[in-house]
Structure formats: C-alpha cells, structure tokens
Amino acid sequence: MQSLYTIEQFPELLPVQKAWKEIRDEAMKHIDSFYMVGADVPDERNTKNKWKMMPVKPATDDINLDIEQGGKLTEQIEEWKDEFPRLREICEAIPNCREYCLSLLEPGGHIASHSHGRNNVSCILGLDVPDFCTLRVGSETAHYENGKFVIFNFREKHEAWNQSDKNRLVLLISLPNRHEQSGYLKYL
C-alpha cells in the first residue's frame, strides 16, 4: 500500500503551485481581515489563539454548522469572496475541489493534534513560510517550503507549529482521496 502522495498523483495542483507568488501577494493584502479560529465558537485546536483563517470556500459541513450557530461567518465569507479573484479563479478550476482557505499561524502558534472524518487529502501550499515552521502527520515531521505542497491523508492525526518570530501563511486545499489508503506526507 502506498503511503506517500506526490504531485504526479494530483496533477490538478500544478497550476496552483505555479501561481503561488500571485496567490501569496493577493493574500498578503488581506492579512488584517483573517479571523481568529475559535473567536465565535471555541476551537480546541487553536491552543494559543494565534491561528487565523480566511475560508474563501469552506466545506459544506462547516457552512451548515455556521448556519446552525447564526450564520455570522457565512455572511462574512460572502463579503470576502470578491477580495480574492485570482485565488478563486485558480482553485475553482481544480476538479472536485471541496474547500480551500488561507491559514495564518502567528509566531509561537500551535494547532493541536486533530484529524478529520472525511476521506480527503489535505494539500498545503507554502506561501510565506519562515524557518522553524513544522507539520507533524502521524509520526512524521515536515518543514514547509514556499511554493511547494505537502499532501497527506486528512484522516491522519496532524498538528502544526510556528516556532519563528514571523507569521506563517499557507493555502489549504481539500480534495477527494483517490488513493483510499492511510497516507502520511510528501514534499513536492
């Protein structure tokens, strides 16, 4: 059973990888608009309140949960979506793209270990990543790189740290797991 994912297994990500600088530049214009994960509804993953996101296209179950809780985030997403035309153009061209968002982890931030029930792969593209930013998936640890994807099984326990003195900015894309196995991570 194959455990590592490569860009060759997800070639639909190649245009995204090629446009990483454009995506980064667009995202940097809106850093101050990112919302704190857990600001409205507590989120145990944001252990130090240093994780912010911009959910340009959130997962359907996340939207449904937000609507059940009053729909505040869903309303904000409608307002934000026009602020990211290039990101939306690139990501909407990916077949079967389930969700995508920008994720900012401030200096000293930690996203606690968690997993997801959906059979997806998490595709994380480094946009503005300083040294000392790591991702653990299962028992393996990776360091992000600007312009490169780390792809792993969404069901695996994973957590992230930013042990630098600068913000870490990445793009998260969720795709169906065509390979149906328990995978870890792969630098691309």
Side-chain angles (χ1 to χ4, degrees):
M1 176 188 309
Q2 182 180 0
S3 63
L4 302 175
Y5 300 114
T6 66
I7 195 95
E8 290 78 23
Q9 291 172 290
F10 295 93
E12 62 268 43
L13 295 172
L14 286 170
V16 183
Q17 186 168 284
K18 288 178 184 174
W20 77 271
K21 288 181 181 177
E22 291 177 79
I23 295 168
R24 178 204 57 208
D25 293 347
E26 189 173 74
M28 295 298 274
K29 294 176 188 174
H30 303 287
I31 291 287
D32 292 336
S33 298
F34 284 37
Y35 84 96
M36 183 68 66
V37 174
D40 296 323
V41 178
D43 191 320
E44 295 176 355
R45 298 172 298 173
N46 193 6
T47 61
K48 296 183 178 184
N49 290 325
K50 294 186 176 220
W51 180 26
K52 297 179 179 180
M53 296 188 84
M54 178 57 69
V56 183
K57 180 183 178 182
T60 303
D61 54 346
D62 291 338
I63 292 172
N64 292 338
L65 178 62
D66 180 59
I67 290 170
E68 288 174 17
Q69 297 169 345
K72 184 177 177 183
L73 181 59
T74 303
E75 289 175 15
Q76 289 176 333
I77 290 167
E78 283 301 310
E79 294 172 16
W80 293 328
K81 71 179 184 180
D82 292 334
E83 302 298 323
F84 300 93
R86 185 67 177 132
L87 174 62
R88 290 179 61 226
E89 175 187 7
I90 293 166
C91 290
E92 291 297 326
I94 302 170
N96 301 312
C97 180
R98 293 185 172 166
E99 62 185 300
Y100 54 94
C101 66
L102 296 160
S103 174
L104 180 88
L105 193 57
E106 295 175 341
H110 175 236
I111 301 170
S113 181
H114 64 284
S115 62
H116 306 271
R118 294 169 283 193
N119 189 29
N120 293 347
V121 290
S122 187
C123 312
I124 302 177
L125 178 63
L127 298 176
D128 190 20
V129 181
D131 290 336
F132 309 111
C133 292
T134 54
L135 171 71
R136 183 193 55 79
V137 180
S139 63
E140 298 193 43
T141 301
H143 299 274
Y144 303 96
E145 290 182 48
N146 289 328
K148 301 287 184 181
F149 273 103
V150 176
I151 303 174
F152 62 92
N153 188 318
F154 215 43
R155 292 181 180 180
E156 295 289 337
K157 289 265 189 190
H158 54 281
E159 65 184 312
W161 295 267
N162 179 356
Q163 297 171 323
S164 79
D165 59 357
K166 298 177 182 169
N167 288 332
R168 180 225 65 181
L169 178 65
V170 297
L171 171 64
L172 305 173
I173 299 174
S174 180
L175 299 175
N177 186 351
R178 297 192 288 264
H179 304 286
E180 300 284 334
Q181 77 276 345
S182 177
Y184 287 106
L185 52 85
K186 176 69 179 177
Y187 286 104
L188 304 176

